[in-house]
Amino acid sequence: MLTERHLQIFVALADEQHFGDAARVIGITQPPLSQGLRRLEALVGAKLFERGPGRVQLTPAGAALLPYARRALGSLEEFHHAAGAQDPEGPELRLGLTPEVPPALGAAVAAALPSGRVTVVTAPTSQLLPQLTSTRLHLAVVLHPAVLDGLEAGPITLLPTEALVPTTLHPDDGVPLKLRDLDALPIAVRPRAEAPAARDLVLDTLDLHRPTGGTVVVTDERAALAMAAAGQAIVVTPDPSLHAAGLGRHPIVDDPLPVRLRLVWPAARTPSALLPDALQRITRALTESSS
């Protein structure tokens, strides 16, 4: 049976011309995307893409069917919006949060939405932006800077950060430190692919203020905290609740590494119920968190 997911795979591959990029747009991994494409081609009885080294290209059959797939997806989106309007609880609202958003702030952002049915997705900025473009998400809080083609954005919010440092290096908790004082261990950073522009800004800032010491790439905040607790890294975080035994929390002089966040949405497709009140409430929550 032909499903909405089959159509999403078809359109994403046609737009991105790359299996990995199309999978990120849809929010799935590459194996199920490839399986979905094979199933779709079997259902329509035609080959839709020519596979090449790292890229794909529409076949004549794929080019002929693509307009129908786009129209079908548009009709399904209209159906979902119409169905949501009939729900007494209001339409479902899908919110994306980058992992750098502290839990308390993420809860405040979700609470600012007007619907009782809020779905929250946590994913790197590089995955949230395509999901906004494809309307799988209505709103997202992402890292800045980022490429926002076709998206609207609110003001930039700067969350102050502090350094979690093993007490074996700096036993006096709470003492302000300069970045150049933190060169005995590498600073834990997330993979560049999660938010290339934002990560490059962090690395450039570290090179400017802390030319020695280096960085270590970690998969998530839990891994960063574990490395710091083991005396192998320093964590820079905007989350005041993040802590572990054996770590001291230190303000960083002049706060050169704030986490830059921005509320982003596809304005033309965001439910009208969200605007402008909810956007104002979310912006207020972000602003208050930075003060």
Side-chain angles (χ1 to χ4, degrees):
M1 181 178 65
L2 188 66
T3 66
E4 183 176 2
R5 177 50 58 87
H6 290 136
L7 296 175
Q8 291 171 342
I9 289 172
F10 183 19
V11 171
L13 270 173
D15 290 343
E16 302 298 325
Q17 300 181 4
H18 186 277
F19 276 96
D21 292 342
R24 283 190 290 272
V25 166
I26 300 174
I28 61 177
T29 58
Q30 190 167 327
L33 182 135
S34 300
Q35 294 167 8
L37 175 60
R38 289 195 295 269
R39 177 60 178 160
L40 174 60
E41 290 178 327
L43 287 169
V44 301
K47 187 176 182 180
L48 302 177
F49 294 94
E50 295 289 352
R51 280 75 159 174
R55 310 294 296 181
V56 296
Q57 186 174 5
L58 283 167
T59 63
L65 291 174
L66 181 60
Y68 296 96
R70 292 192 191 279
R71 287 199 293 270
L73 278 179
S75 296
L76 285 169
E77 185 70 19
E78 291 176 0
F79 175 81
H80 290 318
H81 287 166
Q86 307 305 314
D87 192 324
E89 296 183 3
E92 179 189 23
L93 300 175
R94 298 184 294 277
L95 168 68
L97 298 174
T98 188
E100 289 79 6
V101 176
L105 176 56
V109 170
L113 294 172
S115 172
R117 298 192 302 126
V118 177
T119 298
V120 179
V121 174
T122 300
T125 293
S126 60
Q127 295 181 22
L128 294 177
L129 294 176
Q131 292 188 57
L132 286 166
T133 303
S134 65
T135 71
R136 290 178 60 82
L137 293 175
H138 294 118
L139 294 162
V141 179
V142 302
L143 288 178
H144 174 83
V147 178
L148 303 178
D149 287 345
L151 300 173
E152 299 261 347
I156 301 165
T157 297
L158 274 62
L159 299 186
T161 58
E162 294 179 302
L164 299 182
V165 184
T167 53
T168 52
L169 293 180
H170 293 280
D172 297 325
D173 191 19
V175 174
L177 298 172
K178 295 182 178 180
L179 273 181
R180 64 171 174 264
D181 299 327
L182 301 173
D183 60 356
L185 291 173
I187 288 181
V189 296
R190 301 282 290 268
R192 180 181 183 275
E194 292 187 352
R199 295 285 185 262
D200 286 346
L201 179 57
V202 168
L203 294 177
D204 288 347
T205 302
L206 288 174
D207 287 342
L208 179 63
H209 293 275
R210 182 181 176 268
T212 60
T215 59
V216 59
V217 177
V218 293
T219 55
D220 53 31
E221 197 171 61
R222 179 180 298 180
L225 193 63
M227 289 194 69
Q232 299 176 15
I234 293 168
V235 177
V236 176
T237 177
D239 186 356
S241 66
L242 192 66
H243 188 62
L247 298 179
R249 179 176 290 270
H250 298 268
I252 305 175
V253 175
D254 297 329
D255 195 20
L257 291 173
V259 171
R260 295 169 171 85
L261 299 177
R262 206 166 190 186
L263 179 65
V264 181
W265 67 94
R269 299 175 184 177
T270 300
S272 59
L274 278 176
L275 299 170
D277 292 343
L279 294 181
Q280 291 177 352
R281 288 196 294 270
I282 293 173
T283 300
R284 189 180 309 120
L286 292 170
T287 301
E288 290 174 352
S289 69
S290 67
S291 60

